Amino acid sequence: MEKFAVNLLLFLSISSLLISSTSAEIKNLEIRADARPMILFERFGFTHTGQVNVKVTDVQYSSSVSQPDPSRLGFFLLSEEALIQVIIESEQNPNFCVLDSHYILSLFTFKELNPPQSNSYNNSFPVTVPNEYSLFFTNCVPQCQVNMNVRTEIYNVDNGVDKDYLPAGQTKLPMMYFVFSLAYFVFLVVWIYVCITNKHSVHRIHFLMAGLLLMKALNLISAAEDKHYVKVTGTAHGWDVLFYIFQFIRVTLLFTVIVLIGTGWSFLKPFLQEKEKKVLMIVIPLQVLANLASVVIGETGPFIKDWVTWNQVFLLVDIVCCCAIIFPIVWSIRSLKETSKTDGKAARNLAKLTLFRQFYIVVIGYLYFTRIVVFALKTISAYKYQWVSAAAEETVSLAFYMVMFYMFRPVEKNEYFVLDEEEEEAAQQILQDEEFEL
């Protein structure tokens, strides 16, 4: 049982780091020949009117060591605060079973399968103490394999009547995503107006940027509808499919646009070098893999055996892509510095260098905030305010889009590329002194 305590400690610790509250869609799950000591189904933020409905059917369990005790297999709820106490108990007691802990909210064990000798159970359990709880199944029988079909339905009751299947910290997300989608549609209209007004300065990259805005707006509107239908009915009604489609196109377009802008494609040069093409050939397939991992993570849940692995794949791919898109910007800056020494256009090259350096800083800031700061906000925010991290991420993303589009907007006389003869000598001196560094 010491091994069980260690497994419990590691599993609960990893789960608390990787999992945030998810929308508690009505889920039907199949568990087959599963001998894991702990299975996490989902995490949910409850109000004082919370309800948990668990239905298990076709229950079968057997152990190669001894006759299983049905009271050692069961479902329970565990809060974040109680997690530490449970871990301490598991370390102190070598024969510890989490079902014996006083810090859990026990729902039922297989001993309560009703009627007697039956292989099914169905019941609802009220949650009257507001908090964020995780729904677990535990198996304290050595080498015991379990087969069962599980249906979970978790929700809060609004106004004593309406079921809200979104956690307490996510009920504001449908309206928030809808508002941001409107902002991007307005942004797209403004961008189209700017492109029409300066049609002689429009390049191919600007069409891709317009497509990026459209996909971002559609991604947000599908996210809003997805969350709305889950909130009201417990199922996404197909909006989750559209969400993943638009998310894949949007993220792939975003990384592609950043790479192409970083190379200066279409507005500085009409072609891509071999190394720049290789970056795209790396980023795009990785985004396909990242989207697949995102679908698995979002549509299954931590109850599947490879769920943690898919999370690790997604994080690794995201890190690789974030690093890859930085290289073209650095290459462009180095190339411009080398060119400035020979072409005699110091002021123009200094303006371009300034632009790409600013873009480099903006991209780094965007990646840092959306990957590090947002994760920190999710970690430290109370469960009732989980929407804050999503709002912060969307606000910074909108600001990033606005800055990037403004910097590379189509204008007939781009202020960054105007050759000012009066500043030529000063610019040349700056470049010669090699004071321009990242």
Side-chain angles (χ1 to χ4, degrees), residues 29 41 96 129-130 167 169 178 208 226 235 247 254 265 269 312 329 349 390 394 404 408 418:
L29 320 169
F41 286 90
F96 175 76
V129 180
F178 179 72
L208 281 179
D226 179 11
T235 56
Q247 176 176 266
L254 174 61
W265 175 78
K269 58 184 181 182
Q312 294 170 338
I329 307 175
N349 288 320
E394 292 302 331
M404 178 174 67
F408 297 95
V418 174

Side-chain angles (χ1 to χ4, degrees), residues 248-260:
F248 166 66
I249 300 174
R250 188 263 305 174
V251 174
T252 303
L253 263 180
L254 174 61
F255 280 97
T256 302
V257 166
I258 292 176
V259 170
L260 293 178

Side-chain angles (χ1 to χ4, degrees), residues 89-110:
E89 286 182 322
S90 68
E91 293 176 332
Q92 293 176 344
N93 184 0
N95 298 316
F96 175 76
C97 177
V98 68
L99 291 173
D100 297 326
S101 175
H102 300 293
Y103 298 99
I104 68 169
L105 295 177
S106 180
L107 301 183
F108 68 93
T109 66
F110 283 1

